[in-house]
Amino acid sequence: KQWYQRRVAITAGQLIKQTSYVKDVDNPRNLRYWMFLLCLIATFTPSRKVLRYLKFHIQRSTQRFSGTEMYKSAVYAEGLLGAGVKQREFIPAREELKKIMFLRDMPAVVQCYGGWNCKIMVTPTLTARVAVARLLSGMGIKSKYNKYALFEKHVDTYKVIEDHVLIADVLAKFERKHVGEECCIFFKLFAVVEFNISSCDPLELVFLYELSCEQIRRGMFPSDKVSLSELAALRLQYLHGDYSPSKEYKVSDVFKVTVPKQQERRPSGGTLRGLGTLGKGTIRKLKDLYQDTEREDEQLLVEQKRKKYRLRLCVDTTA
């Protein structure tokens, strides 16, 4: 870790020197140095000593060279440092580095139920908590109790994104680890606390309905075939409207109408009678093992008594 901080400090110091006291601040070489400095700020967290000199250098550049191209880079860097750059878990994605070099935010698509897509602008300091708050305000959902969150969606599996995680790290993770896979950021309910439907917004009712359908599809609420078939028919009518002979829909595409197998009741207790369902000859084997252990214990006791008797004889003969 010390070696890593030292290399970051040396690189930041060299960039500060290269971008200080420049005659032509808008020449291509100086602007490339500023691009490199922006990528360094967005990727690595400098130490406190380096951060102090870096902030002073950026403030001095914004005060001296206002109205130039370098001034725009300095303002963007000041915004990154003011928002508090965190330690990155992954190297930034290529698209993110391109947007940083051109002083722009990276667009990202967040998927919702029903094929809805929400476009958000991702900065190197945007966390999942702030993104969820922006999505809720944009949709007009004022939920006091129910908890919403962002999820990493891989085909049919969902993994919650914690509030402190950077959205840029999630996108970089998709680029590094899940190349060619169907991965996206999904927005849905995380925890339901308010069960009074009358106090919910109309859009929030849609999220509750889709969450309940997803839980039934995954088998979280076991039911019989008749109930699942009725629910699947209602789901098909909700998605595609009334039935028509020209259209063909399968119930299995909505819900898997399979009744979960009941778990076999296992014996609770240590009696031999309860172990009769385990297989043929099980009780006999357990009895044989029990008898063998009893014989071994008896033999050990006999050997201990013999040793004690021999010690007593030795003591009596010496006396």
Side-chain angles (χ1 to χ4, degrees), residues 217 228-229 231-237 239-240 243-244 247-257:
R217 191 185 306 115
L228 289 174
S229 300
L231 291 173
L234 293 172
R235 176 68 173 168
L236 283 173
Q237 187 177 14
L239 293 174
H240 306 289
Y243 171 76
S244 63
K247 298 179 181 179
E248 293 183 359
Y249 301 110
K250 294 182 180 179
V251 177
S252 58
D253 295 339
V254 181
F255 292 143
K256 293 182 180 179
V257 185

Side-chain angles (χ1 to χ4, degrees), residues 261-267 277:
K261 296 181 179 180
Q262 295 182 356
Q263 296 182 354
E264 296 181 357
R265 294 183 62 184
R266 295 187 178 181
T277 58

